[in-house]
Amino acid sequence: MTAFAYRNGALFAEDVDLAAVAAEIGTPAYVYSTAALVANYRAYVDALAGLPIAVCFAAKANSNLAVLRTLVQQGAGIDVVSTGEMKRALAAGCPPDRIVFSGVGKTAEDLEAALLAGIHQINVESLQELELLSQVAVRVRRDAVVAFRVNPDVDAKTHAKISTGRKGDKFGIELEDALAAYERARALPGVRPVGIAAHIGSQLLDLSPYRDAYRRLAELVRDLRAAGHVVERLDLGGGIGISYKGDPAPALADYARIVRETVGDLGCHLMCEPGRSICGDAGVLLSRVIFIKPGRTRNFVILDAAMNDLIRPAMYEAWHGIVPLRQPAEGAAEAEFDVVGPVCESSDTFAKGRSLPPLAAGDLVAFTGAGAYGAVMASTYNTRPLVPEVLVDKDRFAIVRKRPTFEEMVAGESLPPWLAKVD
């Protein structure tokens, strides 16, 4: 958490006191650090220097316009998985030729929007999608530049819900079918196959699955070329994992070494699509203690943040650090608590048996490592407003997504005529 540190007993984001943000914006609220976003992106660029590679940020990790604009200004491309994300990338100023469209269930409307926008590449994930893309391309009179996402059947050794490259996963074309897919694409009008893509999963802390997957991709590229096909591009998928619980994250230098050793000699234009490792530790979620609730078997810290604001612990059993905004006194005794939110679900639990310093009602805390898959996965469950987002830059901060009012939350709803009249 290099961008977040205690100064004179108060937790800061860069040069901004987070308690001042909470006082102005209220809680819960997400806070992102510009310096951390830029440093994490530049770390990829530096580690991969000398390779013909583009770093495309995975918008699904954090699609806030200000976050995207910050990275686009640094030269990043954007990996999108929906028309909405593509429109966000364009609205953030990303040139179309730096946008890659992935995703297993693209509709005709998605494909048409991508073609009309003139994006860099569409990663096709099935023969059915290929056929549909050809039809759409002919209709709108645009050539579709295509890479085939293949499933290399490699276990990423990460959480089962975010593993995407094994046989049986819904993503991609099986490796053995890639040659036939290329053959079919060459026979279809409006489609120009140029490469191969793969993505084996998220939050990898062991890099050996990447080595295995990239070796299989390199072999496939050579086989396709031997069969007379053009393979100019190779999309390597997501980046490395981050440290949530103090477990060491992989070194980018080691990841870059694997890329160089496995696919660096293919003469392909490469791209990678990190998300979490760029924005994860660049964000925190601020929350306030509502109650300290003692029990006969368990003690609870009840926060104003809930699973609708940060769903990763409920969905993935994910671990996030929870730290007070006021630095605890040295040697302060800790006690074990279950940390929970106010949503009416037992799964609205952030931590069980977590050892925490003394806390009281009204105290502020921060969830660390919350910049990825946090606000972007938030909901309005229990009619709780979407959590606001704040971007810090040195000693200044701005709201980059406001907290909606109740009236704004229900503005899209209406009563049918037979219910509109009040008796």
Side-chain angles (χ1 to χ4, degrees):
M1 238 195 1
T2 55
F4 302 90
Y6 287 110
R7 295 187 190 177
N8 299 320
L11 188 61
F12 274 65
E14 300 186 30
D15 296 323
V16 171
D17 187 338
L18 287 173
V21 176
E24 180 172 332
I25 310 302
T27 55
Y30 280 96
V31 181
Y32 310 127
S33 161
T34 296
L37 290 168
V38 171
N40 290 340
Y41 169 74
R42 297 305 312 175
Y44 270 93
V45 173
D46 293 344
L48 297 165
L51 285 168
I53 190 166
V55 180
C56 297
F57 175 68
K60 63 181 178 288
N62 188 322
S63 61
N64 183 278
L65 287 178
V67 170
L68 298 182
R69 174 70 67 89
T70 297
L71 296 170
V72 167
Q73 288 182 340
Q74 293 295 312
I78 305 292
D79 168 56
V80 306
V81 294
S82 70
T83 298
E85 284 188 352
M86 184 187 73
K87 289 181 177 180
R88 281 182 172 271
L90 293 169
C94 187
D97 63 3
R98 281 164 36 193
I99 297 175
V100 178
F101 201 138
S102 303
V104 70
K106 306 181 196 72
T107 65
E109 292 76 17
D110 292 327
L111 297 171
E112 179 176 336
L115 290 172
L116 294 178
I119 67 168
H120 180 66
Q121 177 174 299
I122 297 173
N123 288 347
V124 168
E125 303 215 14
S126 67
L127 289 176
Q128 292 81 0
E129 181 186 338
L130 178 67
E131 300 284 345
L132 178 61
L133 178 56
S134 173
Q135 296 168 20
V136 174
V138 170
R139 176 166 53 80
V140 300
R141 298 181 180 179
R142 298 289 181 93
D143 284 337
V145 180
V146 165
F148 286 103
R149 177 172 175 176
V150 298
N151 186 325
D153 191 25
V154 170
D155 187 349
K157 301 178 182 178
T158 184
H159 194 285
K161 292 181 180 179
I162 51 177
S163 287
T164 58
R166 306 162 300 181
K167 280 189 183 298
D169 290 331
K170 69 178 182 179
F171 301 96
I173 295 168
E174 293 196 29
L175 206 66
E176 299 85 351
D177 297 329
L179 179 58
Y182 239 88
E183 293 282 2
R184 180 58 181 154
R186 193 159 66 174
L188 286 173
V191 173
R192 182 163 67 91
V194 297
I196 294 295
H199 177 59
I200 63 172
S202 181
Q203 185 52 14
L204 274 72
L205 298 179
D206 178 1
L207 295 182
S208 59
Y210 273 140
R211 186 183 299 278
D212 294 340
Y214 295 169
R215 282 174 174 166
R216 295 183 186 186
L217 294 181
E219 183 179 353
L220 176 60
V221 169
R222 296 185 181 101
D223 289 345
L224 288 169
R225 285 174 172 169
H229 296 293
V230 173
V231 186
E232 301 170 345
R233 302 178 186 177
L234 187 57
D235 184 339
L236 302 174
I240 63 174
I242 67 172
S243 176
Y244 283 107
K245 199 176 179 179
D247 41 339
L252 270 174
D254 292 336
Y255 170 75
R257 185 178 305 110
I258 289 173
V259 173
R260 289 187 173 90
E261 291 174 354
T262 55
V263 299
D265 63 347
L266 294 175
C268 289
H269 176 76
L270 307 173
M271 63 188 74
C272 63
E273 297 158 354
R276 185 192 314 267
S277 51
I278 288 179
C279 63
D281 66 5
V284 296
L285 172 62
L286 304 183
S287 184
R288 190 179 296 274
V289 177
I290 302 175
F291 302 116
I292 303 295
K293 179 183 176 181
R296 294 186 181 275
T297 59
R298 309 188 76 84
N299 298 317
F300 297 90
V301 173
I302 303 175
L303 300 176
D304 64 358
M307 63 186 289
N308 71 290
D309 305 310
L310 178 63
I311 201 171
R312 294 189 69 254
M315 183 176 288
Y316 304 127
E317 301 84 39
W319 197 99
H320 286 271
I322 304 171
V323 299
L325 264 60
R326 179 59 56 182
Q327 189 172 21
E330 188 173 348
E334 295 191 345
E336 286 192 356
F337 292 91
D338 286 6
V339 183
V340 301
V343 156
C344 203
E345 297 271 356
S346 294
S347 57
D348 185 24
T349 299
F350 296 112
K352 290 186 176 181
R354 182 71 62 89
S355 184
L356 294 172
L359 290 171
D363 286 352
L364 293 165
V365 298
F367 288 84
T368 64
Y373 304 103
V376 77
M377 296 180 74
S379 75
T380 57
Y381 187 44
N382 282 191
T383 309
R384 290 171 52 85
L386 286 175
V387 63
E389 297 171 89
V390 174
L391 183 65
V392 168
D393 181 30
K394 302 181 180 67
D395 61 353
R396 58 188 177 179
F397 67 90
I399 301 172
V400 294
R401 183 177 76 176
K402 72 173 187 173
R403 193 189 317 273
T405 64
F406 171 76
E407 290 73 21
E408 289 168 335
M409 291 175 67
V410 300
E413 299 179 32
S414 61
L415 295 172
W418 61 89
L419 294 177
K421 184 179 179 180
V422 178
D423 293 330

